[in-house]
Amino acid sequence: MALDSYVGLGRSGLKVSPFCLGAMNFGEDGGFGSGVEESEKILQTYLDRGGNFVDTANFYTNGHSEAILGDFLAARPALRDRLVLATKFYGNLHLGDPNGGGASRKAIIGQLEDSLRRLRTDYIDLYWLHNHDRSTPVEETLRTQDDLVTAGKIRYVGFSDTPAWFTAKAHTTALLRDWTPVTALQVEYSLLERTIEGELIPLAQDAGMGVLPWSPLKSGFLSGTYTREQSTPADTRRSAVLGAPTPAQFTVIDAVAEVARETGATSAAVALSWVQNRPGITSTLIGPRTLAHLEANLAALDLHLTPAQTATLDEVSTPTLNFPYDLNRQVGDMLKYAGATVDGVESAVYPPLAASGVRY
């Protein structure tokens, strides 16, 4: 696999790289990111490797992330249309303004105009709702997004960090109203955060939505810099904020490290390869802070885990999912197939059914 081995984004006609370059760390506002020069090196290297998918948000580094991207593209005007550029709305950058953020019509249009100004472009390829706005009717949000698609200011609609029930309602409403549907979901997913497998991944697969995992290294916990001997690395800027992994998380971290030793790869490459090859995943977001981080992440594209290694990682990271996931998995085939073998898989027989031949 390579960055120029493009994949379709859900059921849309849009083609994107298997790793999406997240620009959350572009800009040093907030104390964690990278300066303009390093950000541009990261971006140029990603593009040189064939990458075409860049993601940011209106409030990342207080808008500086978008501005860095905008200045870079303005200096290379022929590049803009060759790039799939995504940003998000919801975050309020205007202190004390109750209409400055969220998903109302006024807020969406205002945020989009600000993003277009900072990005120095006249359209966004993929525009994400960044959170669930509980106080705005979903019809207002969807109709506004559809109007913006009609106006040519955005091309596709995505949802990020929204509940499965809300996402399903929004997507169905859009289809019934003949509005622009939800093309993709952006959600946290890693060996240390797998609960989206309960509802969000099945929803995306059923509806034909692309899925973009964010934080595939769980804020660096799976990068290889965290060990039981050094649980808060001195060279990790965020360690003071994030704290140390829990004992349960270290069980997974240790398993990743063992697979890394077997393959001769880094823990980061193992964790990224696992995520990108999960069912339903379209393009994994990587958010490098340095050029070295980018190169280390891209090494995952050349890593192929064996079925045994994948099974080991699956088992050690098995999540506890919300009801009724386990119930349906445990008894669904038994109740449906009553002992029949379907697709090569045998089913059990409901005990009362097996105990008596009487039927009413």
Side-chain angles (χ1 to χ4, degrees):
M1 186 184 296
L3 284 178
D4 57 0
S5 296
Y6 305 111
V7 295
L9 186 65
R11 288 181 181 163
S12 77
L14 195 63
K15 312 304 178 187
V16 297
S17 293
F19 277 5
C20 174
L21 180 62
M24 184 176 183
N25 286 318
F26 285 14
E28 296 174 303
D29 306 69
F32 293 133
S34 42
V36 173
E37 183 178 356
E38 187 73 6
S39 299
E40 291 190 344
K41 287 180 181 178
I42 292 169
L43 181 55
Q44 188 63 61
T45 301
Y46 173 81
L47 297 172
D48 289 342
R49 292 281 294 270
N52 78 333
F53 195 11
V54 178
D55 178 85
T56 186
N58 67 326
F59 77 98
Y60 287 169
T61 54
N62 295 335
H64 197 192
S65 172
E66 288 187 332
I68 290 173
L69 290 171
D71 291 345
F72 184 91
L73 292 173
R76 301 159 180 82
L79 175 61
R80 172 63 190 96
D81 287 341
R82 310 282 70 78
L83 194 66
V84 178
L85 183 60
T87 192
K88 310 177 190 73
F89 67 91
Y90 189 88
N92 192 339
L93 290 172
H94 306 283
L95 293 175
D97 180 2
N99 295 307
S104 69
R105 175 175 286 268
K106 178 177 175 63
I108 293 172
I109 294 173
Q111 290 171 89
L112 176 62
E113 295 297 339
D114 284 343
S115 288
L116 292 174
R117 171 179 54 79
R118 286 188 291 264
L119 290 165
R120 301 175 70 173
T121 184
D122 55 6
Y123 71 98
I124 303 298
D125 291 294
L126 178 59
Y127 201 38
W128 302 97
L129 166 64
H130 208 167
N131 211 297
H132 172 212
D133 187 341
R134 293 171 294 175
S135 65
T136 299
V138 68
E139 294 84 359
E140 180 177 343
T141 301
L142 293 170
R143 178 56 193 273
T144 303
Q145 291 174 305
D146 186 67
D147 287 346
L148 293 172
V149 170
T150 301
K153 292 193 172 185
I154 66 175
R155 301 292 193 253
Y156 298 91
V157 168
F159 276 22
S160 177
D161 305 337
T162 53
W165 68 265
F166 172 78
T167 306
K169 175 183 177 181
H171 184 66
T172 303
T173 299
L175 292 175
L176 292 174
R177 298 289 184 90
D178 199 25
W179 294 338
T180 304
V182 180
T183 295
L185 304 182
Q186 188 174 143
V187 286
E188 183 178 2
Y189 192 38
S190 72
L191 280 160
L192 292 176
E193 177 48 77
R194 292 180 55 185
T195 54
I196 64 167
E197 293 174 12
E199 295 190 3
L200 284 162
I201 289 288
L203 164 63
Q205 290 177 306
D206 181 70
M209 301 173 187
V211 178
L212 277 73
W214 61 264
S215 197
L217 300 180
K218 191 60 176 178
S219 299
F221 281 6
L222 294 166
S223 65
T225 58
Y226 288 79
T227 65
R228 291 184 186 272
E229 295 74 27
Q230 190 178 15
S231 59
T232 54
D235 62 344
T236 302
R237 296 185 185 184
R238 298 185 181 183
S239 60
V241 177
L242 298 172
T246 66
Q249 289 175 322
F250 267 122
T251 300
V252 178
I253 292 169
D254 290 344
V256 172
E258 179 58 31
V259 172
R261 283 190 288 270
E262 292 174 3
T263 59
T266 64
S267 289
V270 169
L272 286 167
S273 179
W274 180 89
V275 167
Q276 182 56 27
N277 288 286
R278 295 296 292 171
I281 300 306
T282 302
S283 177
T284 298
L285 277 154
I286 54 174
R289 184 170 48 82
T290 67
L291 186 57
H293 289 165
L294 174 65
E295 296 287 2
N297 289 347
L298 295 183
L301 293 169
D302 298 320
L303 178 62
H304 301 280
L305 301 178
T306 67
Q309 290 166 339
T310 299
T312 295
L313 296 175
D314 290 350
E315 181 178 357
V316 75
S317 64
T318 300
T320 299
L321 302 176
N322 288 342
F323 176 86
Y325 181 87
D326 285 337
L327 175 68
N328 291 340
R329 182 175 56 85
Q330 292 163 3
V331 306
D333 285 353
M334 177 181 69
L335 297 178
K336 180 178 181 180
Y337 294 126
T341 298
V342 179
D343 294 329
V345 179
E346 297 180 357
S347 65
V349 178
Y350 182 52
L353 193 67
S356 171
V358 178
R359 301 291 183 268
Y360 297 92

